[in-house]
Amino acid sequence: MEKNRRNLVKILSAGTLFPGLAANALTSILETVDVNSKAPIVSELTKNKIEKLYKNAIVNDGLIIARNWSEDSFKALAESGYTGFNASVSSGDLTKCIENLNNWKNRIKENSGKLLLGTSAEVYIQAKKEGKTAVMLGFQNAAMIGKSLKNLDKLYDAGLRWMQLTYNSRNLIGDGSTERTNCGLSDFGIQVVNHMNERGIIIDLSHCGEQTTYEGIEFSSAPVSINHSMCEALHKNHPRAKTDGQIKAMADKGGMMGIISLGYMIGPKLGVETTLETYVDHIEHAINVGGIDHVGVSSDFAIQGLQATGSTYENWFVPRLTRFKPSYKVQWPPWIPELDKPDRFLQVAKVLDKRGYSTGDIEKILGLNWLRFYKETLKP
């Protein structure tokens, strides 16, 4: 009885979600529903509901690796259904970073029929209306600013709108997630946080150490991002995972967490213990800790997927054995098959639907939560 009530609610909500559905068609569907029956409700609407939801939803990826963008990337983008993504731009020294930001801005300008520069929540709404994709530019480290807040201004002027305070190692701002120490933000780091707040640059804490994460949340006057991470409660002792305490602190201040799609980050024994269902477990756990309004989706690889971009044991796995500490627990192959393709988040939406999430909550997870966050953090 209760299951049928939930199914009826889902169908009733479809009239709002899909305004193009004829009223008489919806009425016909509702007339066939017997709320006292134990049989599942079957209709063309329910069969195709998630595909329609996904097509109409704002879908935002918390982090795409944006280097080596090509025609194959544009093809994958067309298949993805994305309304927007955070582009992890290749870094380097300050000069190189500004050059890379300008290169991406030029790419957006040259492909104005497909892309928009993501600088506000309104741009994402515009992108959805026009069938385009909003791209928000940022870096996974702030080391390039050196000791100067003026360098942060130069990056902002070049298009930067989000930035990770640290990568895995320590910089002048704070400690990274694999650093031996756990010292939190430096005095200069607090100045950087304050200046990012003033300019409207999103503070990201994905690769930050435990104390740096806590202090990044504490000292920021604006909500913060953890744009590609996972739950430590489900993948124990991984330096990149966030604890329940960190997730709750982030959410209590209005922040956003994107659950990373990189398979080996989600759990051990990929394909056996760790599957697409495990990925959704991380979404569910983060929601249970932080609330439905503070969790989204994220990739952390090229939009095509790792296999499609030619990742092999030799060129992907072996270098990471020396680049990352053993605590990173790198596995080969590193992907969850359903997530290693452009329509990855459609697959996630299907699992969320099977678990009984409402259409509204699925839309929040796919992208509306990111828009709420952008509205509260970005400045004109």
Side-chain angles (χ1 to χ4, degrees), residues 15 18-29:
F18 311 125
L21 187 67
N24 60 347
L26 184 58
T27 301
S28 176
I29 290 166

Side-chain angles (χ1 to χ4, degrees), residues 6 15 66 141 144 154 184 197 201 226 229 234 259 266 276 280 288 328 339 354 365 379-380:
R6 290 198 300 269
N141 204 336
M144 79 290 287
K154 292 176 182 178
N197 289 157
I201 301 171
I226 302 170
S229 189
L234 302 185
I259 302 299
I266 300 302
L276 175 61
V280 180
N288 289 338
Y328 243 62
L339 300 177
K354 288 178 182 177
I365 294 164
K379 294 184 179 180

Side-chain angles (χ1 to χ4, degrees), residues 198-219:
E198 290 170 7
R199 296 307 307 265
I201 301 171
I202 290 170
I203 293 166
D204 185 71
L205 305 170
S206 296
H207 280 260
C208 293
E210 181 180 4
Q211 192 60 26
T212 303
T213 298
Y214 274 120
E215 292 185 1
I217 298 167
E218 176 187 353
F219 286 100

